Amino acid sequence: MRIHIPKPWALPEREVTPQSIYRSRREVLRSLGLGALSAASVGVGGCGLSVERFDLGGEGRVVTSLADMLPAPANDAFDVPERPLTAYEAATRYNNYYEFTTRKDSVWQLVGGFEVEPWTVEIGGLVHSPMTLSFEDLLSRVDLEERIYRFRCVERWAMTVPWTGFPLSALIAMADPMSSARYVAMETVARPSQQPGLEDLPHFPWPYFEALRLDEALNDLAFMVVGIYGEPLPVQNGAPLRLAVPWKYGYKSTKAIVRITLVEEQPPTFWNTRNAREYGFFSNVNPEQPHPRWSQAEEWLIPDADERRPTLLYNGYADLVADLYAGEEH
Ligand SMILES: Nc1nc2c(c(=O)[nH]1)N[C@H]1C(S)=C(S)[C@@H](COP(=O)(O)O)O[C@H]1N2
Ligand SMILES: [Mo]
């Protein structure tokens, strides 16, 4: 039997995407049996080949690509019930991605030449099992799930986004960190021929690099993202692999990751290197810690900059992350 998988983006509701509609669309997919299929597909544990894990038998479908793994089952433990989901068009056409341009509303128009295939990610440094994984290898070793997260840029705009991915801790565990490892550094690809902003901003310290403390990286909230709104991640949002650390300002969420390195000393970071006074290492969302040029007490949900709302400590994730900073000032 050939199983027909309806693509979520074929459904007209995508034009609007309030939370309720996005959710009911997922219910439709579930009632078509897709939810159950996804759950069964990703529920098989271990590190087997994707072909083994996803072969449904007979003429059944063998999952070999990301699109075949989507939409992933929703993890309802992560939800943002107090505010609407950002429209797909806003989240994918208003981006910070300086490798392409500093004009947020134009990034999506400049990504056409960027190649996401083939892609490899290297994980090394203070680990017992350094490895280079193809994107497909990586997918075959993780369980994908969908989580709705708040997202807050240091510039004060905010979004609410359904990301598909897996906990960063799963990737770190594959490499088996040494006990001396204290920090996790991440690096973005830099390809001048495919990312026009690199040459427009020659004084920036490319490639983009960011880092977390190891305990932050192992926190369940730290999420490696491969999809958005049930679809493969668009290039402008960091395809094929980006981080989402929603309790921190957006620039900590590195896009297009090619290298992850575990180290002992706190690594330098891109924005801190540019301007240490304005951008610290921890960069946790904090309404009481103003940016030198503006207050962080309020934010707005794109696309509506007129309606201000209070910024939440740790972007509303204090119950999950405050323990990381007990007795510290971050
Ligand atoms: N490599 C890279 N990663 C990056 C950036 C960037 O310019 N380059 N911008 C950061 C900033 S400032 C923000 S707010 C988010 C924006 O993510 P989004 O476009 O998916 O909303 O990406 C972050 N990750
Ligand atoms: Mo940002």
Side-chain angles (χ1 to χ4, degrees), residues 90-92 94-101 104 107 151-155 157 159 161 163 187-189 195 206-210 228 233-234 236-238 242-243 249-257 270-271 302:
T92 57
Y94 186 84
N95 305 98
N96 267 334
Y97 203 167
Y98 278 22
E99 285 90 335
F100 290 92
T101 175
K104 287 183 238 305
V107 176
F151 184 82
R152 170 63 150 81
C153 175
V154 70
E155 299 163 329
W157 53 268
M159 306 192 290
V161 179
W163 305 110
E187 200 178 294
T188 296
V189 79
Q195 297 168 308
W206 309 111
Y208 195 96
F209 52 104
E210 255 304 335
I228 187 172
L233 194 64
Q236 60 268 34
N237 295 93
R242 65 88 59 88
L243 180 67
Y249 292 119
Y251 59 87
K252 299 295 290 185
S253 290
T254 314
K255 293 179 169 179
I257 294 169
F270 185 85
W271 281 104
I302 59 159

Side-chain angles (χ1 to χ4, degrees), residues 44-48 53 140-141:
V44 187
C47 295
R53 296 181 65 202
S140 74
R141 288 166 170 244

